[in-house]
Amino acid sequence: MSNIWIKKPMSAYEADIKKSQLKRVLGKWSLTAIGIGAIIGGGIFVLTGTGAYYNAGPALALSFVIAGIACVFAALCYAEFASILPVEGSAYAYAYGTVGEIFAWIIGWGLILEYAMGSMTVAVSWSGYFGKLLKMFGIHLPDWLTTDPQTYAAAGNTGFAMNLPAFLIVLVVISILLRGTKGAAKANNFIVMLKVAAIIFVIVAGAFFIDPANWTPFIPAQTVITENGVSHNAYGVAGIIAGASAIFFAYVGFDAVSTQAGEAINPKKDVPFAIIASLLICTLLYILVSLVLTGMMHYSDFNPLGKYPDAIKAPVAYAFDIAGQAWAGYIITIAATVGLISVLMVMIMGQSRIFLGMSKDGLIPQTFSKVNVETGVPSKNLMILGGLISTVAAFTPINDLAHMTSFGTLFAFTMVCVAVWVLRVKEPNLQRNFRVPALPVIAVCGILINVYLIINLSIEAQTYSAIWLVLGFIIYFLYSRRHSKLQNGGFGETFKAEQEPLQDVDIDLHDKD
């Protein structure tokens, strides 16, 4: 019987790096922009309102701090792994070299869930913002062209329906990615600059309309909120913790940096830098936006059953409306519409690189590992993904499935914390350009926090994710284990290692940003 715990040796990773056809064109600031592009999306313009009203009140800023700290534990572990194994595949690749093939497969399967569901959710979200933007200019698309069939029928309609904007934006993003990573990175850098500029605008402009009375009390007394017959505790210290869990999803995406390690100019140094820098920058922006928002509007005004029922749907834009600055809503809507494109771009890019790594190992069909020599990107891989994601986004209501994105992320975070600790114990002499300080403490904190957040996901999300994992095990034992290159005699063609040291064949390791 094959050994499902077989580990991919370090020499195989070195051979991967030497033989890779991906073009190393990403410097540390391009990588950092990829991280920011993935993290900052529509969430910062939406979750701030829900988190303030349902959970923490003005203390939502503390919720962002706690969620950021929770992510830092995983980010530090990602950074150490990236400094050891600068290859595409993210947590999947890390687990393959430390814990074993079966764990690597399940993590990879979880990452597929994270990025695929995330991409579909972002595409649908973009469609909503795009529709809102068009309405600002007097253009109204018919419901049957902006709604999935199930939702359209549930509203009492009959006939054909599809979310055409969601379908088309995926194809647009795929066309950009097919042109090459360097061009996609430039487009992402431009979008990130616009997005960050818009957020800074919100912070600076909103500061002039802050009423300090809205921050009093900063931590409201704990109470019970009842809505549609459902009650839950809010505010107080418990509300701050609950808020951290609720807005954690706004941080999903920094691990996308590690999926681009195969295209980084100096991956062992720049990937750890980009992971930590993007997380810290986004955390600071989130904290400032939440403080401005809760200073402009009292947290209770985000009540969907209160005086401003629509405020919770677009809290930042609505805060400016109430302040008599409706023109700012145009800027915010444009920023959200454009900004979501970079999120979608990074998610699809990350998904394709995870497929690339798994395919090179033989765990999924080899079609996904074929790289276009001219563009240096896995073209067939991207086209297959584009067809799948665009179709599902156009015809499927995401709803609770969106939470499966968080399951895949948290599961991967947990396993990275475990794997980096295991590797430090088993391979203490490996070269590490970045080392996690106080690793046992950081790893344990990361494991506990992420498992706690998994437990607190919705029952629907847990059920769907469990079904996904069972399906993953079935595919592994029916296909992946039989086709694994490690299971079939060593490294296989992809991993026939040259004997020269890795650093002797490495390319110019100077940041060219």
Side-chain angles (χ1 to χ4, degrees):
M1 180 179 177
S2 56
N3 178 15
I4 63 173
W5 300 102
I6 190 170
K7 298 173 188 175
K8 185 174 176 180
M10 292 300 156
S11 55
Y13 286 105
E14 294 184 357
D16 272 356
I17 297 169
K18 295 168 188 174
K19 288 179 171 292
S20 176
Q21 293 177 299
L22 297 174
K23 295 182 179 180
R24 294 190 177 273
V25 294
L26 301 176
K28 65 181 179 181
W29 292 112
S30 288
L31 289 166
T32 302
I34 286 174
I36 295 173
I39 298 170
I40 296 180
I44 195 170
F45 299 114
V46 177
L47 293 178
T48 42
T50 57
Y53 176 69
Y54 288 109
N55 301 114
L60 178 66
L62 298 181
S63 296
F64 275 113
V65 172
I66 293 171
I69 291 173
C71 288
V72 164
F73 293 137
L76 290 171
C77 293
Y78 263 98
E80 178 166 324
F81 255 133
S83 74
I84 301 170
L85 300 174
V87 294
E88 69 282 342
S90 185
Y92 157 78
Y94 306 154
Y96 210 166
T98 56
V99 185
E101 185 175 272
I102 184 65
F103 261 71
W105 165 260
I106 291 301
I107 289 178
W109 193 245
L111 288 171
I112 291 172
L113 180 68
E114 171 190 348
Y115 283 96
M117 295 306 304
S119 298
M120 296 166 194
T121 304
V122 171
V124 174
S125 298
W126 182 88
S127 175
Y129 275 102
F130 181 67
K132 182 179 178 182
L133 180 64
L134 291 180
K135 288 177 182 177
M136 286 183 170
F137 294 95
I139 302 173
H140 297 266
L141 295 177
D143 289 344
W144 65 272
L145 270 183
T146 58
T147 312
D148 63 86
Q150 293 91 323
T151 304
Y152 188 70
N157 300 305
T158 58
F160 176 81
M162 71 175 293
N163 193 332
L164 182 62
F167 181 85
L168 293 178
I169 192 58
V170 174
L171 299 185
V172 169
V173 166
I174 291 294
S175 68
I176 295 173
L177 295 177
L178 286 173
R179 296 170 66 90
T181 300
K182 190 171 184 178
K186 286 182 178 179
N188 180 68
N189 291 348
F190 176 72
I191 294 173
V192 167
M193 284 192 292
L194 287 179
K195 188 160 48 175
V196 172
I199 292 171
I200 292 174
F201 162 79
V202 169
I203 294 169
V204 175
F208 290 97
F209 301 98
I210 288 176
D211 181 358
N214 289 330
W215 288 335
T216 305
F218 190 71
I219 302 178
Q222 186 167 333
T223 187
V224 175
I225 293 178
T226 301
E227 188 174 296
N228 298 325
V230 178
S231 300
H232 77 278
N233 294 323
Y235 315 132
V237 175
I240 294 173
I241 302 297
S245 181
I247 54 89
F248 170 82
F249 313 119
Y251 284 98
V252 170
F254 74 81
D255 56 322
V257 175
S258 64
T259 67
Q260 302 303 126
E263 290 149 285
I265 295 172
N266 189 357
K268 290 189 176 183
K269 293 182 179 179
D270 291 349
V271 172
F273 172 89
I275 288 173
I276 296 172
S278 60
L279 183 58
L280 292 178
I281 290 170
C282 292
T283 299
L284 176 62
L285 292 175
Y286 281 175
I287 292 169
L288 293 175
V289 168
S290 62
L291 285 173
V292 168
L293 181 65
T294 54
M296 292 178 70
M297 285 183 65
H298 195 269
Y299 68 91
S300 62
D301 286 337
F302 293 111
N303 182 357
L305 303 178
K307 184 167 55 173
Y308 306 111
D310 293 329
I312 200 167
K313 297 178 182 178
V316 181
Y318 211 87
F320 279 95
D321 284 343
I322 293 175
Q325 308 297 319
W327 58 272
Y330 285 83
I331 295 176
I332 294 166
T333 302
I334 291 171
T337 304
V338 175
L340 282 172
I341 295 175
S342 71
V343 180
L344 184 59
M345 187 183 300
V346 172
M347 284 194 165
I348 294 177
M349 193 186 300
Q351 173 78 88
S352 68
R353 273 41 172 195
I354 291 169
F355 273 1
L356 177 63
M358 297 176 75
S359 178
K360 285 165 65 175
D361 292 335
L363 301 186
I364 61 176
Q366 298 227 346
T367 299
F368 292 99
S369 61
K370 294 180 180 178
V371 176
N372 185 298
V373 178
E374 293 183 3
T375 60
V377 298
S379 301
K380 290 184 178 180
N381 184 333
L382 284 167
M383 287 188 282
I384 293 172
L385 276 174
L388 176 64
I389 293 171
S390 61
T391 301
V392 175
F395 294 99
T396 306
I398 302 301
N399 300 331
D400 290 326
L401 296 180
H403 295 293
M404 294 168 67
T405 304
S406 297
F407 176 87
T409 306
L410 292 166
F411 185 72
F413 285 3
T414 302
M415 291 312 305
V416 167
C417 291
V418 171
V420 75
W421 197 2
V422 169
L423 189 62
R424 183 79 73 85
V425 173
K426 292 190 173 182
E427 300 282 353
N429 298 322
L430 278 178
Q431 180 184 345
R432 292 169 169 85
N433 291 348
F434 176 85
R435 297 175 68 90
V436 178
L439 177 60
V441 176
I442 296 295
V444 168
C445 289
I447 293 167
L448 293 178
I449 289 175
N450 288 304
V451 169
Y452 174 77
L453 292 175
I454 288 175
I455 293 172
N456 282 276
L457 288 173
S458 68
I459 296 298
E460 292 84 358
Q462 292 178 353
T463 301
Y464 293 142
S465 299
I467 293 171
W468 178 262
L469 289 179
V470 170
L471 179 61
F473 276 110
I474 293 173
I475 292 175
Y476 173 77
F477 285 104
L478 291 181
Y479 177 89
S480 303
R481 185 183 58 164
R482 297 179 181 180
H483 293 82
S484 165
K485 293 190 175 181
L486 285 183
Q487 301 281 8
N488 288 282
F491 302 150
E493 293 182 5
T494 307
F495 307 128
K496 285 180 180 175
E498 297 88 346
Q499 296 303 311
E500 67 267 21
L502 180 60
Q503 57 268 29
D504 291 347
V505 298
D506 212 348
I507 62 173
D508 181 16
L509 298 184
H510 295 289
D511 194 346
K512 297 180 182 178
D513 268 0

